[in-house]
Amino acid sequence: MTITSKQPNVGTTIFTVMSQLAAETGAFNLSQGFPNYNCSPKLIELVNHYMQKGMNQYAPMAGIMPLREILAQKTADLYHIHYHPNDEITIVSGCTEAIYATMAAILHKGDEVIVFEPAYDSYVPSIELNGGKPVFVTLTAENDFSIDWSVVKSKITKHTKAIMLTTPHNPTGKCLTQEDLAQLAEVVRDTDILIVSDEVYEHIIFDNRLHLSPASHPELKQRTFLCGSFGKTFHTTGWKLGYCLAPVELTAEFRKTHQWITFASPTPMQYAFADFMKEPDNYLSVRNFYEEKRNKFINWLKGSRFTLTPAEGSFFQMVSYNQITDESDYELAVRWTKEIGVASIPISVFYHEKYDNKILRFCFAKDDEMLEKAAERLCRL
Ligand code: GLN
């Protein structure tokens, strides 16, 4: 049997490709973004506890209430953004689902979504599979990957349905500023344009920066789907648990699609997070944890010929290699995985036209020993 592909130009995601290559070659895997250390034993105990207690059947479609309540409280305490646990908070199977379910809920055939490139690789397929059309705004190293809002304005048409944002940004680590939010508010004022905001690295933000969700802007909250995750914050990327916070009308439509995608998300993990998050330090401490790692990694790279600007947030550090070679970033990432045993992600894969900034992305969510040894190898180049 053959079927007509709905995604004829899509291959396997780069994260699978590079992780597989790293495994085959025994390279240090600084490519796919996941920690190589365990989550808190307390969290595992809690999951065990709730499994033993019999919390092993479907959770409510929108998520268990205690988790929705603690999320509402955290979001109010930290960012002064208020969502009602009843009808404005939905627990889903990871932020990738939150983004997909949002696109499925909001897009009609031919609707346009503004996407900033480099863009995390699930955004465009989520838009296209739901009948939408991505409209690209290209950010490059030349402009320090910052957003020129006049370009965004020039891309708005009567078909623009949404703007997709990421803060802290993957792969650049850039964070939105107050000025960005003010400009964004100006762009969408007097329109029906929605905002889909990927904030999975909200707690991994450095140098005393404040995490600024578009939803923290009084004019933007009403049109924003805030998509988040427990995976990055609690070192549990494999538990695939995330959430979507959005005003009541938006949440109502969001839940209509979420219920057909996964219906509900794993129950014992939801109870575990609801308990674990009662102690704010459990999510607030991750900032220092990763800032230290970023600093160590950068320090260990001091003797290298890479040039880099410290990541503002996320657990990724971009490095420019144009002092070393002018090879394409993709070929180089593959070659260095095989030859020096350090795997990375080439930034060109995050552009639809494979724009090559001569930059690689390294994930520093790895134990210090691996980071130091990887850096040692990179310093020899
Ligand atoms: N978010 C992770 C990254 O950027 C990858 C997740 C995945 O493999 N789909 O590396």
Side-chain angles (χ1 to χ4, degrees):
M1 291 286 283
T2 54
I3 48 171
T4 308
S5 176
K6 291 182 77 175
Q7 304 181 82
N9 303 318
V10 169
T12 306
T13 115
I14 186 70
F15 306 116
T16 303
V17 172
M18 292 308 295
S19 276
Q20 228 162 40
L21 187 62
E24 277 163 26
T25 56
F28 295 132
N29 188 3
L30 272 52
S31 64
Q32 194 177 21
F34 65 89
N36 74 337
Y37 30 80
N38 211 347
C39 62
S40 159
K42 175 80 191 145
L43 206 39
I44 295 173
E45 247 171 58
L46 285 167
V47 173
N48 264 324
H49 167 77
Y50 284 111
M51 281 183 166
Q52 300 287 357
K53 222 176 140 188
M55 306 309 223
N56 298 306
Q57 310 311 325
Y58 295 126
M61 184 269 273
I64 63 155
M65 196 42 100
L67 185 55
R68 282 146 64 186
E69 280 166 355
I70 198 93
L71 268 175
Q73 194 187 321
K74 184 197 85 160
T75 314
D77 290 350
L78 286 185
Y79 312 127
H80 311 291
I81 318 176
H82 299 274
Y83 291 101
H84 202 288
N86 253 350
D87 45 17
E88 298 188 311
I89 296 184
T90 312
I91 308 299
V92 298
S93 296
C95 188
T96 302
E97 192 216 322
I99 292 162
Y100 191 91
T102 303
M103 295 304 173
I106 65 175
L107 294 179
H108 294 257
K109 203 169 168 43
D111 282 348
E112 295 174 356
V113 182
I114 306 252
V115 175
F116 297 93
E117 287 191 321
Y120 183 61
D121 74 343
S122 85
Y123 300 162
V124 169
S126 300
I127 294 164
E128 289 179 337
L129 283 169
N130 288 296
K133 185 177 163 244
V135 172
F136 295 103
V137 173
T138 311
L139 311 179
T140 63
E142 256 165 55
N143 300 320
D144 192 28
F145 297 100
S146 51
I147 298 174
D148 180 342
W149 289 97
S150 66
V151 174
V152 181
K153 210 167 193 169
S154 74
K155 304 265 174 154
I156 303 279
T157 73
K158 63 178 195 303
H159 301 293
T160 310
K161 176 54 66 84
I163 299 178
M164 178 77 225
L165 284 163
T166 322
T167 188
H169 188 269
N170 178 6
T172 67
K174 294 278 289 185
C175 298
L176 290 179
T177 62
Q178 284 292 7
E179 179 57 22
D180 286 318
L181 296 188
Q183 299 258 12
L184 172 61
E186 201 180 308
V187 168
V188 298
R189 198 167 292 143
D190 303 322
T191 73
D192 291 328
I193 296 172
L194 298 163
I195 294 161
V196 187
S197 185
D198 173 351
E199 303 179 20
V200 298
Y201 301 102
E202 67 180 306
H203 295 298
I204 309 179
I205 183 163
F206 310 131
D207 309 313
N208 297 317
R209 275 187 186 80
L210 286 181
H211 171 64
L212 290 173
S213 168
S216 67
H217 189 286
E219 277 181 68
L220 298 176
K221 185 192 173 217
Q222 51 165 340
R223 55 176 88 227
T224 299
F225 289 88
L226 192 170
C227 302
S229 170
F230 302 94
K232 326 288 173 189
T233 307
F234 299 111
H235 315 319
T236 52
T237 60
W239 292 6
K240 293 300 299 175
L241 217 54
Y243 52 88
C244 178
L245 316 180
V248 60
E249 296 80 5
L250 306 192
T251 290
E253 288 306 313
F254 178 89
R255 288 183 182 173
K256 288 185 195 171
T257 54
H258 160 67
Q259 68 183 336
W260 308 135
I261 299 173
T262 53
F263 176 63
S265 302
T267 311
M269 279 82 170
Q270 293 194 45
Y271 279 104
F273 282 131
D275 281 1
F276 198 62
M277 286 177 66
K278 284 186 190 139
E279 174 47 81
D281 196 51
N282 286 335
Y283 48 84
L284 295 178
S285 59
V286 76
R287 172 195 278 260
N288 286 343
F289 175 81
Y290 278 117
E291 185 162 330
E292 232 170 71
K293 282 207 178 292
R294 179 202 64 172
N295 292 347
K296 282 183 186 164
F297 186 52
I298 290 176
N299 209 25
W300 285 324
L301 283 179
K302 280 245 161 78
S304 75
R305 288 193 288 156
F306 292 114
T307 44
L308 57 87
T309 313
E312 295 176 3
S314 83
F315 46 47
F316 303 114
Q317 178 62 54
M318 293 202 302
V319 305
S320 159
Y321 61 80
N322 55 14
Q323 310 282 345
I324 304 177
T325 170
D326 59 6
E327 253 175 281
S328 90
D329 64 351
Y330 194 97
E331 279 166 27
L332 195 63
V334 171
R335 186 164 74 79
W336 280 353
T337 305
K338 293 180 181 161
E339 289 178 7
I340 67 152
V342 183
S344 58
I345 297 289
I347 293 300
S348 62
V349 301
F350 299 103
Y351 292 89
H352 73 293
E353 283 174 331
K354 308 294 168 235
Y355 183 80
D356 186 354
N357 289 279
K358 308 290 175 201
I359 287 178
L360 299 175
R361 185 198 84 171
F362 290 101
C363 171
F364 55 82
K366 307 293 164 188
D367 60 62
D368 287 357
E369 194 190 335
M370 183 186 281
L371 288 178
E372 188 172 11
K373 284 190 176 148
E376 224 174 79
R377 293 180 183 185
L378 294 169
C379 285
R380 283 190 227 127
L381 293 163

